[in-house]
Amino acid sequence: MAEKVLAGTSVTVNAEGYFENPAQWTKEMAVEMAKDYNITLTDKHFAVLEYLRQQHNAGVQLTIRKVGNSGITDIKELYQLFPGGPLKISSKLAGIPKPTSCV
Amino acid sequence: MTTQKEEYPLKKVCIICAKGTIEDVYATLVMANGAVMEGIEAKLFFTFFGLDAITKNRMEKLHTSTVGNPAMRMPGGLPFPTILGMIPGVEAGVSSMMKSQMDKLDMPPVKEFLEMIVAGGGEIYACKLAVDMFKLKKEDLTEEVVDIITVGDFYAMAGGIGTQIIFT
């Protein structure tokens, strides 16, 4: 565990940079983290992040298939939104733990 | 002499699927989808009975073998007697039970899984020799298949540092 300052606020993250406490998350933090991946967050990105947070809070184990069937985006677009890690990077930017599913 | 250990991150996986049972095909699909989800390039090569996974009228009818499969268990964990597996319909029943278990874990049907892999940039190929052997044509294969290629073509795609060939 480590402390990291994001958007002027100190948050607790694990060794890989995932939030320990999703309640500490703000949109501004997501914008700042996205810069590490050269992603400029759009409304579409935020719709995905909100969906992930909502599902995580509901105790759902997230998979790329669930996001693809969410009605927010399809899987192809999800790859375009978060290149190189559609579920991993989006989960990190959403301030939720690293996904544990293999699908 | 000192040797320095160098590690290269995995950049590309070339996965060969030569068998047509549920578990063999899904091993390929899960590994390929897992690769593209991590930003790793994936090329899939289906050959011999593995072609069932990309053949339109067979891909959703895959079975797992209930005969000669010592790892097979009854619900509850007791060994599954081979003689039971020989009874007509048992293999189909076990296979559909397996598929429903997989669906609960969000493992999609074969066609949808292939679409997911392609959506992530993965490429699906069929082995020319096996296609000829089973007297199949391009139109018999699902649309996700990019091409029917030779082993040489497949090896030509498998170059580069950080590439691995996986035989499931």
PDB file of all heavy atoms in Angstrom, chain B residues 2 14 35 78 143 160:
ATOM      1  N   THR B   2      29.955 -13.993 -16.504  1.00  0.00           N
ATOM      2  CA  THR B   2      28.655 -13.675 -15.908  1.00  0.00           C
ATOM      3  C   THR B   2      27.601 -13.602 -17.011  1.00  0.00           C
ATOM      4  O   THR B   2      27.870 -13.122 -18.104  1.00  0.00           O
ATOM      5  CB  THR B   2      28.691 -12.322 -15.171  1.00  0.00           C
ATOM      6  OG1 THR B   2      29.141 -11.331 -16.087  1.00  0.00           O
ATOM      7  CG2 THR B   2      29.573 -12.364 -13.960  1.00  0.00           C
ATOM      8  N   CYS B  14       1.006 -17.042 -30.377  1.00  0.00           N
ATOM      9  CA  CYS B  14       0.453 -17.763 -31.513  1.00  0.00           C
ATOM     10  C   CYS B  14      -0.046 -19.084 -30.959  1.00  0.00           C
ATOM     11  O   CYS B  14       0.745 -19.881 -30.450  1.00  0.00           O
ATOM     12  CB  CYS B  14       1.514 -17.992 -32.569  1.00  0.00           C
ATOM     13  SG  CYS B  14       2.203 -16.438 -33.180  1.00  0.00           S
ATOM     14  N   ALA B  35      -5.037 -12.798 -23.640  1.00  0.00           N
ATOM     15  CA  ALA B  35      -3.895 -12.093 -24.224  1.00  0.00           C
ATOM     16  C   ALA B  35      -4.311 -10.717 -24.744  1.00  0.00           C
ATOM     17  O   ALA B  35      -3.724  -9.703 -24.358  1.00  0.00           O
ATOM     18  CB  ALA B  35      -3.280 -12.928 -25.352  1.00  0.00           C
ATOM     19  N   LEU B  78     -17.949 -37.763  -6.948  1.00  0.00           N
ATOM     20  CA  LEU B  78     -17.626 -39.192  -7.102  1.00  0.00           C
ATOM     21  C   LEU B  78     -17.088 -39.461  -8.503  1.00  0.00           C
ATOM     22  O   LEU B  78     -17.456 -38.768  -9.447  1.00  0.00           O
ATOM     23  CB  LEU B  78     -18.886 -40.041  -6.864  1.00  0.00           C
ATOM     24  CG  LEU B  78     -19.335 -40.175  -5.412  1.00  0.00           C
ATOM     25  CD1 LEU B  78     -20.698 -40.872  -5.361  1.00  0.00           C
ATOM     26  CD2 LEU B  78     -18.313 -40.969  -4.600  1.00  0.00           C
ATOM     27  N   GLU B 143     -17.340 -16.346 -40.018  1.00  0.00           N
ATOM     28  CA  GLU B 143     -16.837 -15.107 -40.641  1.00  0.00           C
ATOM     29  C   GLU B 143     -15.603 -14.548 -39.928  1.00  0.00           C
ATOM     30  O   GLU B 143     -14.884 -13.721 -40.499  1.00  0.00           O
ATOM     31  CB  GLU B 143     -17.904 -13.999 -40.626  1.00  0.00           C
ATOM     32  CG  GLU B 143     -19.185 -14.301 -41.375  1.00  0.00           C
ATOM     33  CD  GLU B 143     -20.120 -15.178 -40.563  1.00  0.00           C
ATOM     34  OE1 GLU B 143     -20.276 -14.919 -39.368  1.00  0.00           O
ATOM     35  OE2 GLU B 143     -20.680 -16.139 -41.137  1.00  0.00           O
ATOM     36  N   GLY B 160       9.684 -12.476 -34.118  1.00  0.00           N
ATOM     37  CA  GLY B 160       9.792 -11.296 -33.262  1.00  0.00           C
ATOM     38  C   GLY B 160      10.076 -11.625 -31.811  1.00  0.00           C
ATOM     39  O   GLY B 160       9.634 -12.650 -31.303  1.00  0.00           O
TER      40      GLY B 160
END
